[in-house]
Amino acid sequence: MQRRLMMLFLWFGLLNLVAADEYNRNDFPPEFVFGASTSAYQVEGAALQDGRTPSIYDTFAHQSRNGTLNPDVACDQYHKYKEDVQLMAETGLDAYRFSISWSRLIPNGRGSINPKGLKYYNNLINELIKHGIKPHVTLLHTDVPQVLEDEYEGFLNRRIIEDFTAYVDVCFREFGDRVRYWTTLNEPNIFAFGGYDIGNFPPGRCSPPFGNCSRGNSTTEPYIAAHLLLLAHGSAVRLYKDKYQAKQLGFVGINLLCYHFSPITNTREHIIATRRTYDFLIGWFMHPLTYGDYPEIMKKNAGRKIPIFTEKESKLVKGSFDFIGINYYSVMETNDYSIGLSKYPRDFFADIGVEWKYSDPSVLPDEFMFPNEPWGLERVLEYFKDVYQNPLIFIHENGQVAKHSTATNDQFRVEYIQSHIGSLLNAVRNGSDTRGYFVWSLMDVYELLYGFKSTFGLYHVDFNSPNLTRQPKLSQKWYSGFLKGKNTTTYVEKKKVEDDVMGRSSI
């Protein structure tokens, strides 16, 4: 152990000696994919047109509103998809990650297919391919059909597994001849605790003293929802592998929001708390997917609240992915709060036994931006390599938020994206099996926590214009130049050597 720590000190120390590193797109492997992301409700608009019915995302957005503009219009990509695909081609994207609206394709959640919804997604996919852009499709990005939530409470009821599997069967059958990359679920870890513990995400369920919602149970529902999300994912993957993969030659995975968790100080209790946080926020899904069961610390702290995998369920979930999608934005410092484990009742967060520097962005000042901490992305990828057998990974989301304005000189976003791509290159060179990077987001979109007040786009969207005019920002011009082979210089911030070594050696 002593020798290993000395080697780590030396390795991290050498990294810190190099502040600037010139690289370009050609330094990545030839098959590496660069793209940009959006999701259906955030970009499509036409929420009440051509047979589409509401989702829990619609319901939640109308309750919270986050400003006066109408989220049902969003960017109107439903009508402007050809224009937007042209922007993608001009930028030089290899791929576009988007999601399918379940309630646009199958308005009743099950049963009949909406021909206009089917036509739209066929048109979008064909337009992408026409311009040489690979479609990467997410099957569920938060927007469960509201009709299923009303009928049986969505992901709190096992009936959702059958309905979700039937829905994805339609997608695989209708689009799989042209789509090779499928993601079953976007951020199910955040969907489970945000939607069923805190209540700040759809479907907005929580209970006192953990939140102020009209319904829900914060102590049990996050665990139930996560379990059913895993089983629905496993069922969808089994269907694809049994029925479609041999013919369509595609890949199917799942997506998680990942922070790098760093101990607030290098004391033993904070380091152990950091390990717990990784197990609860990432291991919650990655342990079952890799090893067939929840982490031991989760089972210990949650007790009877956490469902038990049957042998059949464990086999269904274990190994049920070809790739893992990661959404990464920032580092989160963890502070041990083990004393909280003696309190009752406890929600999901209290079961972790930590406090961390985390703020709800929906109540932050308009000038809020994520700290530019690219080294955190590298640490997350190292963690997946070391703990979860180095899975094939796509960075599905990475980007910088800022107050929405008419200004297009977003140098801060250039620096953020530039440095994170540089850090990603370091991870790839150090053995991470990461094969793609997608900026969030292609354009300014309706954001769940921010509404239209703060955005991430490479393209500015004028939401006050009837034409919803798109205009390239400085970040789009930089990214386009990078994708077309221009050199770039990045400064990758390094955390103090002592913190990195102590944190890495303990997790």
Side-chain angles (χ1 to χ4, degrees):
M1 175 61 75
Q2 202 170 25
R3 176 181 172 83
R4 179 168 174 259
L5 283 174
M6 288 297 294
M7 291 298 293
L8 284 167
F9 268 112
L10 177 62
W11 189 74
F12 281 112
L14 288 172
L15 282 178
N16 276 267
L17 292 176
V18 183
D21 180 29
E22 188 173 82
Y23 69 92
N24 65 31
R25 190 228 171 100
N26 296 325
D27 290 314
F28 285 84
E31 70 279 4
F32 199 93
V33 172
F34 285 95
S37 295
T38 64
S39 83
Y41 186 66
Q42 294 175 268
V43 75
E44 282 181 3
L48 305 176
Q49 295 181 27
D50 291 348
R52 184 188 182 277
T53 60
S55 71
I56 61 172
Y57 206 151
D58 299 60
T59 303
F60 189 86
H62 279 274
Q63 289 170 348
S64 61
R65 281 310 294 255
N66 277 325
T68 58
L69 296 173
N70 187 353
D72 292 344
V73 176
C75 302
D76 198 26
Q77 190 169 91
Y78 185 76
H79 296 109
K80 298 170 76 69
Y81 71 91
K82 287 189 177 182
E83 175 185 331
D84 289 344
V85 172
Q86 184 62 41
L87 297 180
M88 299 176 210
E90 291 172 1
T91 301
L93 300 187
D94 299 323
Y96 177 49
R97 176 178 174 252
F98 64 96
S99 72
I100 292 174
S101 167
W102 184 349
S103 62
R104 190 183 296 282
L105 189 63
I106 306 177
N108 293 321
R110 69 172 75 87
S112 300
I113 299 172
N114 175 17
K116 291 186 177 180
L118 180 64
K119 181 180 179 180
Y120 168 69
Y121 290 112
N122 271 319
N123 286 344
L124 173 59
I125 291 166
N126 290 341
E127 191 72 12
L128 290 166
I129 292 171
K130 175 183 172 182
H131 287 80
I133 300 168
K134 301 178 182 69
H136 282 233
V137 175
T138 301
L139 292 159
L140 185 63
H141 193 117
T142 311
D143 49 352
V144 178
Q146 184 64 46
V147 64
L148 301 184
E149 186 72 19
D150 294 339
E151 182 179 345
Y152 57 71
E153 296 187 325
F155 275 97
L156 294 177
N157 191 309
R158 283 180 175 263
R159 292 171 62 184
I160 195 71
I161 300 172
E162 181 180 355
D163 286 339
F164 180 70
T165 306
Y167 154 63
V168 302
D169 194 10
V170 172
C171 296
F172 295 151
R173 183 181 72 236
E174 298 293 338
F175 311 126
D177 59 328
R178 289 151 293 157
V179 175
R180 293 193 66 208
Y181 293 93
W182 299 96
T183 302
T184 55
L185 304 167
N186 182 77
E187 297 183 355
N189 53 343
I190 305 305
F191 181 57
F193 76 68
Y196 297 89
D197 182 354
I198 306 173
N200 66 341
F201 274 64
R205 297 178 66 96
C206 63
S207 60
F210 309 108
N212 182 25
C213 305
S214 61
R215 56 189 179 149
N217 185 332
S218 297
T219 62
T220 59
E221 288 186 1
Y223 296 107
I224 296 168
H227 198 73
L228 297 184
L229 285 160
L230 279 163
L231 296 181
H233 160 79
S235 178
V237 173
R238 174 173 289 179
L239 169 71
Y240 187 74
K241 291 185 177 295
D242 288 350
K243 190 175 178 180
Y244 295 102
Q245 193 169 44
K247 183 177 180 179
Q248 295 180 353
L249 304 177
F251 306 89
V252 61
I254 192 171
N255 167 288
L256 298 171
L257 178 65
C258 299
Y259 296 92
H260 171 58
F261 301 104
S262 179
I264 197 164
T265 68
N266 289 324
T267 58
R268 183 175 181 272
E269 61 268 25
H270 294 317
I271 291 172
I272 293 173
T274 300
R275 180 187 300 175
R276 283 201 306 273
T277 309
Y278 260 104
D279 278 341
F280 268 80
L281 269 296
I282 296 176
W284 195 8
F285 283 81
M286 281 308 302
H287 257 66
L289 290 167
T290 308
Y291 305 113
D293 199 3
Y294 296 113
E296 289 300 319
I297 191 64
M298 286 195 75
K299 293 191 289 184
K300 176 184 176 182
N301 288 10
R304 295 182 180 180
K305 296 187 296 182
I306 194 166
I308 298 172
F309 283 104
T310 66
E311 184 177 350
K312 183 179 180 181
E313 289 173 345
S314 180
K315 289 181 179 179
L316 176 70
V317 172
K318 183 179 179 180
S320 61
F321 62 91
D322 296 316
F323 66 84
I324 299 295
I326 287 177
N327 297 349
Y328 172 85
Y329 292 95
S330 64
V331 173
M332 191 178 291
E333 290 188 331
T334 54
N335 184 19
D336 176 66
Y337 191 66
S338 300
I339 191 171
L341 295 172
S342 63
K343 298 180 180 180
Y344 293 94
R346 292 203 309 265
D347 67 342
F348 173 81
F349 282 104
D351 286 339
I352 307 176
V354 298
E355 295 177 325
W356 52 61
K357 288 185 178 180
Y358 172 80
S359 299
D360 181 351
S362 64
V363 297
L364 289 176
D366 287 343
E367 63 270 17
F368 169 76
M369 290 191 291
F370 293 117
N372 188 6
E373 298 169 319
W375 56 271
L377 174 59
E378 196 171 346
R379 300 301 182 270
V380 166
L381 294 174
E382 288 171 0
Y383 186 80
F384 272 80
K385 183 177 69 173
D386 294 345
V387 178
Y388 297 116
Q389 304 172 3
N390 201 20
L392 191 162
I393 285 174
F394 289 96
I395 306 302
H396 272 163
E397 293 183 19
N398 178 242
Q400 178 62 284
V401 66
K403 180 180 179 181
H404 184 265
S405 70
T406 58
T408 57
N409 184 9
D410 57 345
Q411 178 62 31
F412 60 88
R413 186 171 285 115
V414 171
E415 293 169 1
Y416 180 98
I417 295 171
Q418 184 184 51
S419 59
H420 279 76
I421 292 177
S423 189
L424 173 59
L425 179 59
N426 286 340
V428 171
R429 286 170 169 169
N430 288 322
S432 171
D433 193 15
T434 303
R435 303 191 193 179
Y437 173 89
F438 293 75
V439 172
W440 183 270
S441 52
L442 173 68
M443 64 186 69
D444 295 336
V445 302
Y446 174 81
E447 293 288 347
L448 181 61
L449 291 176
Y450 309 103
F452 295 103
K453 294 183 295 185
S454 295
T455 51
F456 292 77
L458 297 175
Y459 284 88
H460 170 265
V461 178
D462 185 353
F463 294 113
N464 293 306
S465 164
N467 295 322
L468 296 165
T469 307
R470 284 82 155 124
Q471 184 178 1
K473 300 179 187 177
L474 188 64
S475 56
Q476 183 275 340
K477 295 174 183 177
W478 179 87
Y479 194 46
S480 180
F482 169 74
L483 296 183
K484 294 169 184 176
K486 293 183 180 178
N487 285 339
T488 183
T489 300
T490 183
Y491 179 81
V492 181
E493 176 190 352
K494 298 292 180 182
K495 200 184 179 195
K496 286 189 296 184
V497 175
E498 297 80 15
D499 288 2
D500 279 334
V501 173
M502 294 299 291
R504 277 284 294 118
S505 65
S506 67
I507 304 174

